[in-house]
Amino acid sequence: QVQLVESGGGLVQAGGSLRLSCAASGPTFSNYNMGWFRQAPGKEREFVARISWSSGSTSYGDSVKGRFTISRDNAKITVYLQMTSLKPEDTAVYYCAATYSSTTRAAGYRYWGQGTQVTVSS
């Protein structure tokens, strides 16, 4: 059973930075793609970024390109989301998720963490 635990959320001023972590446990992750999604109140879950555990290839949602960076640490089995130049509209609950496919659709992810709140004040 795959388990994902996010951490690192909090309150930050606009223009600031945060780094989210997603610690994974369970069967080997070499075949997984890991994704970050976010959901603001009253909005649909939005794709933020994804990374291939095996190749390290990445992709990003348009709203975060150039500001967010996804990375992984194979030894720690942890995925990170470095967020810079944060804006109030980045405020949301951020979720880590895992999938066998290369999709950026939330419905395509089988395993999810519990989420971590990020609040950006203006």
Side-chain angles (χ1 to χ4, degrees):
Q1 180 70 20
V2 171
Q3 290 187 325
L4 305 173
V5 180
E6 303 98 333
S7 61
L11 174 64
V12 63
Q13 289 188 333
S17 300
L18 276 177
R19 188 178 78 159
L20 305 183
S21 300
C22 173
S25 62
T28 177
F29 277 80
S30 61
N31 296 325
Y32 281 94
N33 289 308
M34 304 296 294
W36 284 99
F37 291 79
R38 66 187 183 185
Q39 190 165 20
K43 295 188 177 181
E44 293 187 354
R45 196 161 292 192
E46 175 189 12
F47 168 72
V48 174
R50 61 168 286 277
I51 186 167
S52 166
W53 201 271
S54 58
S55 71
S57 63
T58 60
S59 60
Y60 295 90
D62 289 341
S63 62
V64 306
K65 281 180 182 177
R67 300 188 298 123
F68 291 10
T69 303
I70 189 171
S71 62
R72 76 205 192 291
D73 184 323
N74 289 349
K76 296 182 178 179
I77 318 179
T78 299
V79 175
Y80 301 99
L81 184 69
Q82 179 68 49
M83 306 185 293
T84 63
S85 301
L86 283 162
K87 306 174 182 179
E89 51 264 43
D90 293 319
T91 295
V93 177
Y94 284 71
Y95 297 92
C96 175
T99 179
Y100 280 118
S101 77
S102 60
T103 183
T104 59
R105 296 176 62 247
Y109 283 73
R110 180 175 181 181
Y111 301 104
W112 291 85
Q114 82 287 352
T116 185
Q117 176 71 45
V118 172
T119 302
V120 184
S121 63
S122 57

